[in-house]
Amino acid sequence: MKIAFLSMSGVRVRTEELAELGVSMPGFVERGKVIASMPSLAGATLAAVTPADVQFDYFDVPDAENHVVMTDYDLVAFSTFTAMAYECYALADRYRAAGIPVVLGGLHATLVPEDAKPHFDAVCVGEGEDLWPRIIHDAKQGRLQPFYRQLPGEVYDIKRAPIPKFDLFDVGNYNRLTVQTSRGCPLDCEFCAASKIFGKYRIKPVEQVMAEIDEILTIWPDPFIEFADDNTFVHKKWSKEFLRELRTRNVRWFTETDVSAADDPELVDLMAESGCQQVLVGFESPSKNSLDGIDRGNWKSKRRDSYERFIDEMQNRSVTVNGCFILGLDSDTPDVFEEVAEFVKRTGLLESQVTVLTPFPGTRLYDRLKEEGRLLKEKYWDRCTLFDVNFVPKNMTVDELEGGMRWLFGELYSEKEQRRRRRHFIELEKSRLAAVG
Amino acid sequence: MSTDSDIIEQLRQEIAARARVDAGEIDPDAHFLFDLGMSSLDLLAMLAFAERSFATRFPDECLSELTTLNKMGNAIHGYKQNQERGDQ
């Protein structure tokens, strides 16, 4: 049996003016390029649980429209983001027309399996490690079931997760490889799908993560690793143990964290010493008022006062911070754009990412906005790019939100502003060099 | 005061450490990011190292252009020449 795994990722803005503007905006384009140039961890993970007698080939699909259907496969598995769902559906339709069974898994499939089903012979709902061997078994028999689901409430024990088959990838084609240390996030923000998809927050044992990293080191001696976590340093004891091990390896890395990572200077020291290049953190808003209520425990609002300290603690140790802001939160007024610009400039954030509040299907946010009649369209997956507006904001118009976002892009990503941020970081680095002699 | 060859040698050693390559194998025209695999953070750190080590300050509008050993060495050389002219 021969299986093709097709990974469809990348970001494509739909709003024409923003797309045109985005072409020259590094804050958006570069992050988009990074995402698009990472191989799918799902592909490598499924390859690791594929029976030895099955051939498993991996393909990135950067351009679905011009993808030539490969008729020599017995099964084609797709993984995609919601923003690419329609392109994925169309490509799956072409494979089915050629008589090849198709299956979809991943985030979008898990969030809205019924929506995807008409285009696929089978949809894999939830974590794939245990479901994938069943799918292969049934495909071999020609008896694919419409849905493969984890049992209600079932959570995969990630201590059993196999080491992904990283050697599936030609590392020369990518600028990063991904490793997952945890699944889910305990914060449960209204807009985030992670808590919904992954359920309980789980961490891999340190030795398991290190085994994966050591596997990468066999194919890439000085890798750049992106930890594909939603929030890496939730458990501080585990984090320190992990980073002490990591600093003995030759890696550079990037991850996502919340601001509590900077509460413990020893942890930040370990991050810097183990090769951390940048952390991405969801500040969401500089306004305490706008943060109010976005997560169940109101944690982000309570931690607003530590944002500036977080940036200083990280950047003073050469760990750059990519601060993320969401525009269009319910308490946001048209003043929010200037507030974000002021915060970014004042704090010396080396990088920032501004996105629009996005009601991904399956999230609490989607359900609430739908109930309040504020979705522009109920099924508008190709606008789930994080940059296209698909809801009516509470305290401004859609035009104000789109216009404000364009203005903010111009403010934050102009050449002048980028120079200013680079200079700020160079001066910080010089001070650090002077301090260490 | 550092000679031009001292400057190039010190830059070469720092690049080798950051790019994790053998100093002797660095092509002076190799691009830090695209040829040597350095990160954008490495590039900023290199600029900070060069400015501090050679008492230089690159013009902000040139920062993104100093992406090879030769370009950085030439920029430091030019800065020092301008300084000397200013001193005379």
Side-chain angles (χ1 to χ4, degrees), chain A residues 83-299:
Chain A
M84 301 280 281
Y86 293 141
E87 285 160 80
C88 182
Y89 292 175
L91 184 54
D93 291 344
R94 287 169 55 206
Y95 269 95
R96 286 181 100 184
I100 299 167
V102 289
V103 55
L104 177 70
L107 299 178
H108 181 73
T110 299
L111 290 168
V112 281
E114 307 288 346
D115 184 80
K117 181 63 191 70
H119 305 274
F120 295 88
D121 295 281
V123 177
C124 179
V125 185
E127 296 163 291
E129 284 96 337
D130 285 344
L131 300 176
W132 180 239
R134 282 175 46 203
I135 292 170
I136 293 175
H137 175 268
D138 290 355
K140 276 181 176 173
Q141 314 289 319
R143 291 182 192 155
L144 276 174
Q145 303 298 307
F147 296 100
Y148 291 83
R149 300 176 192 270
Q150 291 176 282
L151 298 171
E154 184 186 1
V155 175
Y156 180 69
D157 176 9
I158 60 169
K159 295 189 181 82
R160 293 197 292 114
I163 293 179
K165 278 189 73 66
F166 294 112
D167 59 359
L168 196 66
F169 306 126
D170 177 356
V171 292
N173 292 338
Y174 305 105
N175 58 20
R176 302 177 183 203
L177 288 180
T178 48
V179 169
Q180 196 173 45
T181 76
S182 61
R183 285 188 190 166
C185 172
L187 293 185
D188 196 11
C189 295
E190 186 189 33
F191 51 78
C192 180
S195 311
K196 168 108 182 170
I197 290 174
F198 291 124
K200 189 183 163 199
Y201 179 72
R202 291 151 286 160
I203 315 176
K204 288 177 183 172
V206 169
E207 58 271 23
Q208 187 178 351
V209 180
M210 295 314 302
E212 294 188 22
I213 291 169
D214 288 341
E215 188 65 27
I216 288 176
L217 285 164
T218 66
I219 57 167
W220 188 1
D222 57 344
F224 196 113
I225 292 173
E226 175 151 346
F227 292 112
D229 304 326
D230 294 299
N231 192 348
T232 299
F233 302 116
V234 172
H235 286 278
K236 304 299 182 285
K237 188 178 170 208
W238 175 93
S239 302
K240 288 185 188 177
E241 190 189 336
F242 168 53
L243 294 174
R244 283 190 195 104
E245 276 299 314
L246 189 60
R247 72 179 169 184
T248 67
R249 310 308 202 269
N250 185 31
V251 301
R252 287 168 293 164
W253 56 274
F254 165 97
T255 199
E256 298 181 21
T257 180
D258 64 51
V259 293
S260 71
D263 292 350
D264 183 342
E266 186 191 2
L267 179 62
V268 191
D269 284 340
L270 285 166
M271 289 169 70
E273 290 164 12
S274 59
C276 184
Q277 302 286 292
Q278 184 170 86
V279 287
L280 184 144
V281 60
F283 290 134
E284 324 307 7
S285 175
S287 157
K288 210 171 200 170
N289 205 26
S290 292
L291 291 170
D292 198 30
I294 66 169
D295 62 271
R296 282 194 199 273
N298 230 9
W299 190 88

Side-chain angles (χ1 to χ4, degrees), chain A residues 397-414:
Chain A
T397 65
V398 171
D399 282 349
E400 282 174 321
L401 178 53
E402 290 181 337
M405 186 148 168
R406 283 195 296 275
W407 175 85
L408 190 54
F409 264 53
E411 280 294 301
L412 298 182
Y413 304 136
S414 67

